[in-house]
Amino acid sequence: MPQNNDLLQIKFTDLLAYAIKWRKHLLILAIAAIVLSAIVTFIIKPKYQAEVIFYPTTINSIGNALFTDLNKREADPLAFGEELEAENALQLLQSSAMTGRIIKDFSLMKHYNIDPQSNQARTKLANKFNKNIEFSRTRYLSISITVLDEDPKMAAKIANGIAEIYDTVKTEIQMQLAREAFQIIEGEYRKKEKELTEIRDNLKKLAENGVTNYEEQSRALAEEIAKLQAKGGSPSQLQKLRDEQILLSKYAGDFLYYTENLKLELDAMDKLRTRYEKAKVDVDKTITHKFLLTAAEVPEIKAYPMRKTIVLISLFATMFIGFLAVIVIEKYRAYKSQQPATV
């Protein structure tokens, strides 16, 4: 039993002795690993990396952002996006609306040499897409679009194109909501215009009947009657003034109702007009949804494969496995040598 325990123990001097004893074999393994890994790196098609970095904006409504008092404004149109905007931008970049547009605009099925009629064509395309195109958030809350491609010009083109598609898709989504909101507000606005027109028409009819300002006219008639009575005016003149007073009183309720209602409706119309104008701006105007920090340029140096890294990793892995095999062989030989000879 103690002998078996000794076999399992490995000392540094043993390792050094194994290395010296098997140095030729290990050297051959090392050379073979270097040569083979180098050949593999030349066989693998190189890929070039292009990157776009941008900050998402905080703007959702142009009307609210640009046509609201500074003290009431919810978002600064020139402010960089924060964590919420960064997360929303990532969600949009990873959405099917974005990926579908990217695949279509850059003909990625053809570019990646995938037969659309083949089995699992979509799965293959998705794997290629996820392998070569990456969206991530930096620690400074900006968004990074990284594209790997065998063609350096295509890598830059796709990266810059995705940034443009991001703007387009977000605008389309917001525009769809903006149009629906504008239709609702426009309907209310036209309805309010019609109500105001009806009130003004009713006031115009009252004016045709001689009622233009009930309070002023009533006060003026009362003063005329009082003066006429003080002077001892004729009964016919008094009766005429009283008839005008009775006629005025007949329309007093309608006049007061329509004038008060007109004030309220004008105030409501003023608020609704502001909402209408903001909603119209959201439909008619567009604004960028990103602050571009770094545009993609055509890369000059390949990003993959990294030949030196691959060669070094292959060398270390081969040497580790080789040295492990040497230890197993030596320990097995030691174990066999300790076994009693059979007769």
Side-chain angles (χ1 to χ4, degrees):
M1 190 68 178
Q3 290 179 347
N4 291 335
N5 289 336
D6 290 341
L7 287 173
L8 295 176
Q9 294 179 357
I10 301 175
K11 299 178 182 178
F12 178 74
T13 53
D14 295 335
L15 295 177
L16 187 61
Y18 296 159
I20 295 172
K21 180 179 179 181
W22 293 82
R23 62 185 181 277
K24 292 183 179 180
H25 301 82
L26 293 174
L27 182 61
I28 293 172
L29 277 177
I31 294 172
I34 293 171
V35 172
L36 290 175
S37 59
I39 292 173
V40 169
T41 59
F42 281 101
I43 294 174
I44 297 174
K45 292 183 178 180
K47 290 184 179 180
Y48 297 83
Q49 178 176 299
E51 184 179 29
V52 170
I53 299 175
F54 69 88
Y55 273 110
T57 63
T58 59
I59 299 174
N60 290 316
S61 169
I62 303 173
N64 284 334
L66 301 180
F67 298 99
T68 303
D69 293 340
L70 289 174
N71 294 331
K72 299 179 181 179
R73 187 175 292 169
E74 297 180 358
D76 181 357
L78 300 181
F80 287 168
E82 298 183 356
E83 185 171 3
L84 178 61
E85 283 73 24
E87 290 296 331
N88 289 339
L90 278 179
Q91 287 291 323
L92 180 57
L93 286 167
Q94 294 167 354
S95 67
S96 58
M98 275 292 301
T99 54
R101 186 71 65 85
I102 295 166
I103 291 169
K104 179 182 177 182
D105 288 3
F106 297 103
S107 303
L108 292 186
M109 187 78 77
K110 180 180 180 182
H111 180 67
Y112 291 144
N113 296 319
I114 298 173
D115 183 5
Q117 304 301 324
S118 65
N119 294 332
Q120 301 180 341
R122 292 182 179 180
T123 302
K124 293 176 182 178
L125 179 61
N127 291 336
K128 279 281 189 179
F129 187 99
N130 295 331
K131 188 177 180 180
N132 293 327
I133 300 175
E134 181 182 3
F135 309 119
S136 61
R137 188 185 72 178
T138 70
R139 61 175 181 171
Y140 301 109
L141 301 180
S142 60
I143 299 300
S144 171
I145 301 172
T146 307
V147 178
L148 285 172
D149 202 273
E150 295 173 4
D151 183 353
K153 292 182 180 180
M154 193 64 178
K157 183 180 179 181
I158 293 175
N160 288 322
I162 291 174
E164 294 177 4
I165 294 171
Y166 168 82
D167 245 353
T168 303
V169 171
K170 187 168 184 181
T171 298
E172 289 175 355
I173 293 172
Q174 291 186 344
M175 194 63 67
Q176 181 181 356
L177 298 175
R179 288 194 186 99
E180 293 177 2
F182 177 70
Q183 289 175 358
I184 295 171
I185 295 173
E186 186 180 30
E188 292 297 317
Y189 184 74
R190 300 306 176 195
K191 181 181 177 182
K192 191 65 68 178
E193 279 185 330
K194 186 177 179 181
E195 291 174 356
L196 284 170
T197 301
E198 291 176 356
I199 293 172
R200 290 191 176 103
D201 288 342
N202 287 324
L203 287 172
K204 186 178 179 181
K205 290 178 182 179
L206 291 174
E208 292 173 355
N209 290 319
V211 183
T212 56
N213 190 327
Y214 170 74
E215 294 177 352
E216 292 294 331
Q217 289 176 285
S218 178
R219 184 168 53 251
L221 283 171
E223 290 176 355
E224 287 293 326
I225 291 172
K227 288 178 182 180
L228 195 59
Q229 288 176 339
K231 292 178 181 181
S234 64
S236 61
Q237 289 179 322
L238 283 172
Q239 187 59 43
K240 183 181 179 181
L241 291 174
R242 287 192 177 100
D243 289 342
E244 290 181 12
Q245 197 175 42
I246 292 170
L247 181 64
L248 186 63
S249 299
K250 179 182 177 181
Y251 297 108
D254 290 341
F255 180 83
L256 292 174
Y257 170 78
Y258 288 128
T259 51
E260 289 300 320
N261 202 20
L262 181 63
K263 292 178 183 178
L264 294 174
E265 292 298 329
L266 284 173
D267 184 59
M269 184 66 172
D270 186 56
K271 295 178 180 178
L272 191 58
R273 182 183 291 108
T274 302
R275 293 173 59 193
Y276 173 80
E277 290 173 351
K278 289 180 181 179
K280 195 171 189 305
V281 169
D282 288 338
V283 172
D284 294 341
K285 305 295 180 182
T286 59
I287 194 170
T288 183
H289 298 286
K290 66 182 185 301
F291 293 102
L292 189 62
L293 300 180
T294 305
E297 297 182 355
V298 178
E300 298 177 347
I301 302 174
K302 61 182 178 296
Y304 175 86
M306 301 177 69
R307 289 196 173 91
K308 291 182 180 178
T309 303
I310 292 175
V311 169
L312 286 175
I313 292 174
S314 300
L315 176 61
F316 287 132
T318 303
M319 294 305 294
F320 175 78
I321 295 172
F323 211 81
L324 191 63
V326 167
I327 293 172
V328 171
I329 293 171
E330 288 292 334
K331 288 298 181 180
Y332 179 75
R333 288 178 177 177
Y335 170 77
K336 294 294 288 182
S337 64
Q338 291 177 4
Q339 296 301 312
T342 57
V343 180

